Amino acid sequence: MTHTFKEFSTDALFKIGDDVNLKAFSKSQQVELYTFIWANSEAISLIIDSVPLTLPPNSILALTPIQYLQYIKGNDIIIYQFNREFYCIKDHDQEVSCVGILFFGNTNIPVIHLDKKEQQKFNMLHEVFIDELETEDNIQAEMLRMLMARFIIKSTRLLKAKNGLVETPKSSKVDLLRSFNFLVEQHFKQQHSVSFYADQLFKSPKTLSNNFAKLNRSPLQIIHQRIVLEAKRLLTYTDKTAKEIAYEVGFEDASHLSRLFKKYTSQSPSEFKKGTKSLS
């Protein structure tokens, strides 16, 4: 059953759905809304940005509007979806601290695992969501936004704990990671050098690299992986040539993208495209 909230004055949209809503993605397409997919009692098989993924039971997956989703199989599912007009991730980041980790974390697909205690908490929150969606009054919109903020905060905390990103009042490493990831999301098509992002963050490239030492990925690798991810999306879901894609992600010479792409995938762009066609 789908519960939908619409605010016509702002074009805000928020909805909670189930298996039926996910089955609408039987063919790969952009999700177009911020999306949480919650696997309850059984695993869900999906393809995210052409990469197969099994979402284990009692887990929640977060997707941004630009990502491509294909549903393969699975039941007992809850889906939350909303647009920017309902809840702007960037504008509310000071409140929920999710940009660059839960959303726009670049190449990592964020999966939140719920233990029994967290399952109970999220189930209670879900019941409150449903109650509010069925209660139409002049504060419904604000209540739903407050609940979504709580849902995002709880999800982000669990994801940070899973990745060992523990925040303390004196530590800015988590904020630095988040800011870097979000800057890459905004500028990766034009800016490929670590020095650009270091300047934007008022850090030296060396300081930036030292802060990323525990992540087993350097700042340059994160930039490159985001470029390669975009190239994969364009090769898989559009008819653009390798040369057109290279230009779109900031390379004047297609051979430069080809070398980078092969470094991270062991395939040339043309070989990758042939492989995706054979699977379709």
Side-chain angles (χ1 to χ4, degrees):
M1 183 177 180
T2 302
H3 295 77
T4 303
F5 166 80
K6 290 183 179 179
E7 191 174 53
F8 294 103
S9 60
T10 63
D11 290 326
L13 172 67
F14 170 68
K15 57 184 179 179
I16 294 179
D18 54 20
D19 312 28
V20 174
N21 301 79
L22 192 57
K23 287 171 183 175
F25 289 89
S26 58
K27 291 186 178 180
S28 185
Q29 58 182 298
Q30 276 188 308
V31 293
E32 296 183 345
L33 299 168
Y34 289 99
T35 299
F36 290 99
I37 301 173
W38 181 353
N40 276 312
S41 61
E42 62 180 83
I44 307 170
S45 296
L46 307 165
I47 298 176
I48 310 294
D49 289 328
S50 77
V51 178
L53 180 144
T54 299
L55 186 63
N58 304 310
S59 298
I60 299 172
L61 168 70
L63 299 174
T64 61
I66 63 171
Q67 290 183 278
Y68 284 81
L69 167 67
Q70 184 176 359
Y71 163 81
I72 305 301
K73 65 178 180 178
N75 297 291
D76 194 14
I77 301 160
I78 297 173
I79 302 178
Y80 294 81
Q81 290 189 297
F82 60 94
N83 62 6
R84 185 183 185 279
E85 288 74 17
F86 174 77
Y87 197 89
C88 180
I89 296 300
K90 185 179 179 182
D91 291 351
H92 288 88
D93 188 56
Q94 189 171 1
E95 174 185 320
V96 297
S97 301
C98 67
V99 168
I101 293 181
L102 185 63
F103 294 113
F104 304 114
N106 302 312
T107 57
N108 289 331
I109 298 174
V111 175
I112 303 105
H113 300 282
L114 306 179
D115 60 22
K116 287 188 176 180
K117 186 177 179 181
E118 292 300 334
Q119 288 171 39
Q120 292 176 346
K121 291 179 181 179
F122 274 78
N123 283 331
M124 288 176 62
L125 184 56
H126 178 69
E127 291 301 319
V128 179
F129 262 123
I130 299 300
D131 184 59
E132 282 302 325
L133 283 163
E134 294 175 348
T135 305
E136 296 185 15
D137 57 24
N138 59 0
I139 62 168
Q140 183 188 29
E142 189 58 32
M143 285 295 293
L144 288 170
R145 290 186 177 98
M146 287 171 61
L147 290 170
M148 180 47 63
R150 181 168 176 76
F151 188 95
I152 291 171
I153 289 168
K154 288 176 67 63
S155 299
T156 304
R157 282 176 177 169
L158 291 173
L159 198 59
K160 286 177 180 177
K162 171 191 170 186
N163 294 330
L165 300 172
V166 180
E167 285 183 289
T168 67
K170 294 182 180 180
S171 173
S172 61
K173 286 188 177 181
V174 174
D175 279 337
L176 184 64
L177 169 65
R178 296 190 323 105
S179 298
F180 178 79
N181 279 341
F182 192 54
L183 279 172
V184 171
E185 187 65 33
Q186 292 174 298
H187 300 289
F188 74 91
K189 291 184 180 180
Q190 298 83 29
Q191 302 293 339
H192 300 170
S193 69
V194 174
S195 60
F196 168 82
Y197 298 98
D199 288 345
Q200 294 293 307
L201 295 166
F202 303 103
K203 304 286 183 183
S204 71
K206 185 176 181 180
T207 299
L208 203 56
S209 295
N210 289 340
N211 275 277
F212 281 73
K214 290 185 179 180
L215 299 178
N216 297 318
R217 286 193 300 162
S218 69
L220 186 60
Q221 285 175 322
I222 291 173
I223 297 165
H224 285 172
Q225 287 172 341
R226 183 62 185 91
I227 294 167
V228 170
L229 173 60
E230 191 68 14
K232 283 182 175 181
R233 284 179 182 159
L234 294 169
L235 287 164
T236 303
Y237 303 113
T238 74
D239 292 324
K240 293 182 178 180
T241 65
K243 186 175 181 179
E244 289 172 327
I245 291 169
Y247 183 77
E248 185 163 335
V249 296
F251 292 97
E252 292 186 7
D253 189 336
S255 65
H256 293 165
L257 174 63
S258 183
R259 284 196 293 272
L260 181 67
F261 194 91
K262 196 160 189 175
K263 177 181 177 181
Y264 285 92
T265 69
S266 301
Q267 293 178 297
S268 68
S270 58
E271 288 169 340
F272 178 84
K273 193 171 185 70
K274 286 177 184 176
T276 59
K277 283 185 176 181
S278 66
L279 293 173
S280 61

